Amino acid sequence: MRIATGSICHESSTFTTVETNWDSYRNQRFGYRTGQEVLDFFRGANHAVGGFLAGCEAHGFELVPTIFANAQPSGPTPRAIFDEILDDLLTRMGQIDRIDGVLMDLHGAMVAEGIDDAEGHILAAVRQLVGPDIPIITQLDIHSNMSPQMVEMADVIIGHETYPEIDQEERAKECADVMRRILQEDLKPTLALHQLPMLWGMNQVTAHPPMRQAIEYLHEIESRPGVVCGSIATAYPLADIPYMGASVYIATDDDQALAQSLADELAAWIWERRADWQTPLISTADILPEAESAGQYPIIFADRDDNTGGGSPGDSTGMLKIFLAQGLQDACILYIVDPESVAQCHAAGVGAELELAVGAKSTPLQGTPVKMHARVAALSDGHFTYEGPRNRGLDSTMGPSAHIVQDGIHVLLVSRREQPFGLAFSLTMDLDPRTMRYIGIKSAAHFRAGFEHFAGNIYVVSEPSVHSAATLEGQFKNLGRKLYPEYDL
């Protein structure tokens, strides 16, 4: 059996000031890859493509790669770039002699210029190419904005079941397993969607209540007769599009009514508990006294609004200002995106002391630059290897980087946007966060996979940003329906 695979992934904020361009796809994250290099790069990695490959090899299938295009979260992809990427995918897929099935790695929250539902558009194009009888299975992020077209064009969709999302390889293997059942056991999947009128709050870390109970309920439904698989999509809330919102989707074996009934059942259970998924967000300054009183170190402050993994610029200075104002010792901030300050540090060299205006250079919405008299502790070209669990084994780069120190506060300055999934990059910069008492992180939850096991306490905070609540108030114009809790239902 020959299984075609392709990946076009992007989480698109319609509010960020960070533009998406060709550099976003070609030179960020893992680059733009084609043909055999796709398999060579991701073999053995905790990634969807690595999982597709391992799953297909286990079943004796040949996985035939086309393209891998995955940009850091940022603004909508320009239409010309989107069309060129999709055309490359379709051209390469059209050159495959025989296709028995298609495994797609998509995100679920991609917006292109003029296309609110990019995944639905991609799946429709692939469906038109391969025809109605070739099974298409796609893996999606847990933060997907599901559309009816996505469900109509794919035979099966399988979303991540962890957040932090560390099950990319596992879910991709599940995709390959379902493909085998379709091709060899005459499985006839029927897929149903229930869209909830709800924005999911920050209570979505799957290792903890109440989200853990939602995943347990999902698994109980998956264990019932006739059920192939199911998923919960908590939504990507920074896209002003009609399909933004939480969803449930269930696949059964040739029983559309059962699939819809179970999707409705799980959605009703989630809706009844809609208040449980919400949590208030406060500033670092406001939560600091409580954190100090608890006395459990290291204390991690996670700024979910300036999270580059959600599309933010990554140079907000709100947290840095608080750390400096409070005179915190043994404190660090991971990371501030500031190529200009990095260049100054590289010009000065390790050990130099210099005056810097750090951060907030992308837009005034990110605050104002912070004047620092800092010592350069380490410099790097930014290259490192993810230690896992997320992206385990993959090489990446933060671009030219610098570790600076002022009065006991350590800051990692980087040139490329990425949230801290683990310790690997920090350790290359001669900074071990495990030795700190205060850790500021620009991430919503993915950092937990690498940091939670040694944290004393974790507080999710909100600092001024392009994505903070104050900035976004009144900005949604295209939702097409009321969503809890932003609107009184």
Side-chain angles (χ1 to χ4, degrees):
M1 297 290 184
R2 307 194 79 203
I3 310 299
T5 189
S7 175
I8 302 177
C9 283
H10 190 238
E11 192 175 58
S12 311
S13 166
T14 59
F15 301 104
T16 186
T17 56
V18 182
E19 295 182 354
T20 302
N21 51 38
W22 265 120
D23 181 72
S24 308
Y25 285 97
R26 290 172 173 157
N27 299 315
Q28 298 180 23
R29 280 200 164 167
F30 307 121
Y32 191 100
R33 300 180 182 273
T34 60
Q36 183 61 36
E37 70 170 334
V38 175
L39 303 187
D40 293 341
F41 184 81
F42 289 104
R43 179 180 293 275
N46 183 13
H47 189 276
V49 178
F52 288 158
L53 181 57
C56 285
E57 289 181 343
H59 298 311
F61 297 161
E62 179 187 1
L63 187 66
V64 185
T66 56
I67 70 167
F68 174 86
N70 187 328
Q72 279 282 6
S74 50
T77 299
R79 184 60 181 270
I81 294 176
F82 176 80
D83 287 345
E84 187 171 341
I85 292 172
L86 180 57
D87 182 68
D88 193 12
L89 171 79
L90 296 174
T91 298
R92 292 174 184 275
M93 195 171 289
Q95 293 170 347
I96 301 174
D97 290 339
R98 187 191 79 249
I99 296 177
D100 298 298
V102 178
L103 292 173
M104 294 294 296
D105 171 32
L106 305 176
H107 186 283
M110 183 178 189
V111 177
E113 184 182 14
I115 303 176
D116 289 338
D117 177 20
E119 283 83 5
H121 187 94
I122 293 166
L123 288 169
V126 173
R127 174 60 71 197
Q128 183 176 15
L129 176 70
V130 302
D133 300 324
I134 301 300
I136 300 174
I137 300 177
T138 186
Q139 178 184 231
L140 293 182
D141 195 283
I142 197 171
H143 301 107
S144 294
N145 295 320
M146 300 296 298
S147 74
Q149 186 179 37
M150 292 161 65
V151 172
E152 180 184 357
M153 294 297 145
D155 291 88
V156 176
I157 301 174
I158 297 177
H160 296 162
E161 295 179 1
T162 61
Y163 187 49
E165 292 171 84
I166 57 174
D167 60 340
Q168 306 103 304
E169 182 181 21
E170 183 179 357
R171 297 282 73 77
K173 288 180 179 178
E174 183 181 359
C175 291
D177 292 343
V178 174
M179 181 67 76
R180 183 196 65 79
R181 293 179 62 191
I182 295 173
L183 296 177
Q184 297 181 349
E185 296 181 2
D186 199 31
L187 175 72
K188 294 181 172 58
T190 40
L191 185 59
L193 170 68
H194 186 119
Q195 295 171 295
L196 284 150
M198 186 180 83
L199 290 175
W200 208 295
M202 281 308 300
N203 281 343
Q204 53 180 287
V205 176
T206 53
H208 305 311
M211 191 65 186
R212 184 172 65 198
Q213 283 67 44
I215 298 300
E216 288 172 351
Y217 197 140
L218 170 66
H219 289 167
E220 190 277 320
I221 287 177
E222 288 182 309
S223 71
R224 297 182 193 179
V227 178
V228 177
C229 58
S231 301
I232 296 171
T234 61
Y236 174 69
L238 299 170
D240 186 19
I241 58 173
Y243 297 124
M244 193 272 277
S247 296
V248 170
Y249 48 104
I250 304 289
T252 56
D253 184 6
D254 201 20
D255 193 335
Q256 186 67 45
L258 176 62
Q260 192 63 61
S261 173
L262 294 177
D264 295 344
E265 175 188 334
L266 180 55
W269 185 90
I270 291 170
W271 178 251
E272 288 171 3
R273 292 156 179 80
R274 56 191 177 276
D276 294 346
W277 318 122
Q278 311 302 319
T279 185
L281 292 177
I282 59 178
S283 70
T284 309
D286 288 340
I287 201 64
L288 183 58
E290 178 183 327
E292 294 276 32
S293 178
Q296 296 178 334
Y297 298 93
I299 303 168
I300 296 180
F301 302 98
D303 183 2
R304 56 98 43 143
D305 289 335
D306 194 34
N307 171 22
T308 57
S312 287
D315 65 348
S316 168
T317 53
M319 190 179 291
L320 175 60
K321 289 178 180 178
I322 295 303
F323 278 29
L324 290 168
Q326 296 298 318
L328 301 184
Q329 296 294 304
D330 297 322
C332 67
I333 291 185
L334 316 174
Y335 317 113
I336 293 180
V337 181
D338 189 343
E340 180 181 311
S341 291
V342 168
Q344 291 177 260
C345 290
H346 276 256
V350 174
E353 294 189 6
L354 69 165
E355 303 292 329
L356 295 170
V358 173
K361 296 184 174 74
S362 62
T363 166
L365 294 173
Q366 295 289 105
T368 56
V370 175
K371 293 182 179 180
M372 296 184 67
H373 179 81
R375 174 177 58 85
V376 180
L379 298 169
S380 167
D381 63 5
H383 285 88
F384 71 103
T385 301
Y386 289 103
E387 82 276 21
R390 185 174 173 86
N391 296 334
R392 182 197 67 245
L394 295 176
D395 294 332
S396 189
T397 180
M398 303 299 297
S401 305
H403 170 187
I404 63 172
V405 186
Q406 176 183 309
D407 299 330
I409 296 173
H410 302 250
V411 181
L412 292 190
L413 302 175
V414 299
S415 299
R416 293 190 180 181
R417 296 181 311 121
E418 181 60 282
Q419 59 182 307
F421 294 123
L423 302 177
F425 174 68
S426 296
L427 294 177
T428 69
M429 299 298 297
D430 294 334
L431 175 64
D432 188 343
R434 292 169 295 190
T435 67
M436 298 286 106
R437 287 172 60 84
Y438 308 90
I439 304 172
I441 289 180
K442 293 175 180 291
S443 175
H446 280 311
F447 72 92
R448 288 177 180 266
F451 289 79
E452 189 166 22
H453 67 281
F454 67 84
N457 263 330
I458 295 174
Y459 300 91
V460 179
V461 298
S462 173
E463 295 297 336
S465 163
V466 298
H467 287 156
S468 60
T471 303
L472 297 181
E473 186 175 359
Q475 297 302 306
F476 286 91
K477 308 294 184 183
N478 301 304
L479 298 181
R481 68 196 195 284
K482 295 180 180 180
L483 296 176
Y484 173 90
E486 295 299 309
Y487 297 93
D488 183 6
L489 299 184

